[in-house]
Structures are given as C-alpha cells and as structure tokens.
C-alpha cells in the first residue's frame, strides 16, 4: 500500500471518528451518563457542550488541523519541505481557525 493511500484512509477514519465523537468531546463518563444516557447511536450535536452549532456528521477543527499536519508530513516524505512550506501551512491553519 502506498503512503498516499494510507494517509487518505487515516484521514477518512479520523474524520468519521471526529464527527461521531464530537458530541461527547471533553465530557466525563458521569457527564455523558447524566446528560445523554446510554449511547446507542449517533448523539445529536445539539447535546454537545462544545459543538452544538455543528450539524450531524460535520467535523470539528480537530479534523481540519489533522489535514494540515498530513499535508506537512506529505511534504516531508517527498523531500520538498522547507521553512516557507511550514510557515504557509501554519498561516492556513490560523486563517481557517
């Protein structure tokens, strides 16, 4: 399996996990039990302490940050990385935040 395919799969799985888990992000098990109860499916974003403004299946900034990191890793892997590339990635990340 080539690196590009592997990274694409990683990103897809990360994004799905981020979208599914965002409603309970930063909540303790006790908080989840009290506010949501048993989880048997996708928890509505409206129950989230931090992401109630997002739609179901919409990803958080965690996925966006990982995408920028993956781009940086790909640059390193292909040996075209330099300080300007890193600066541009950081500017993009801050601009999109």
């Amino acid at each position: 399996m080539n690196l590009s395919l592997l990274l694409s799969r990683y990103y897809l799985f990360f994004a799905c996990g981020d979208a599914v888990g965002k409603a309970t992000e930063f909540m303790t098990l006790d908080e989840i039990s009290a506010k949501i109860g048993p989880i048997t499916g996708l928890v509505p974003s409206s129950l989230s302490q931090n992401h109630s403004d997002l739609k179901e299946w919409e990803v958080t900034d965690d996925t966006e940050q990982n995408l920028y990191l993956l781009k940086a890793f790909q640059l390193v892997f292909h040996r075209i990385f330099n300080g300007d590339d890193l600066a541009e990635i950081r500017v993009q990340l801050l601009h999109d935040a």
Side-chain angles (χ1 to χ4, degrees):
M1 179 180 308
N2 68 38
L3 181 63
S4 181
L5 179 60
L6 185 64
L7 290 175
S8 295
R9 287 181 179 177
Y10 163 81
Y11 181 67
L12 175 63
F13 289 123
F14 185 92
C16 288
D18 185 34
V20 169
K22 73 174 174 268
T24 58
E25 185 176 28
F26 302 118
M27 294 175 75
T28 66
L29 185 55
D30 288 340
E31 291 170 329
I32 293 169
S33 295
K35 185 171 183 176
I36 299 170
I39 296 177
T40 58
L42 183 64
V43 177
S45 297
S46 59
L47 298 177
S48 173
Q49 294 178 7
N50 304 298
H51 303 296
S52 60
D53 58 324
L54 298 178
K55 298 174 186 169
E56 271 48 311
W57 293 106
E58 191 172 358
V59 298
T60 71
D61 62 328
D62 295 348
T63 297
E64 294 170 356
Q65 291 167 358
N66 264 272
L67 179 58
Y68 289 113
L69 286 173
L70 285 174
K71 286 180 183 179
F73 290 145
Q74 286 175 325
L75 290 172
V76 169
F77 180 77
H78 293 292
R79 300 182 193 280
I80 58 170
F81 178 83
N82 64 46
D84 292 336
D85 294 327
L86 179 59
E88 175 151 343
I89 290 168
R90 293 185 73 191
V91 167
Q92 287 175 355
L93 177 60
L94 292 173
H95 180 304
D96 293 347

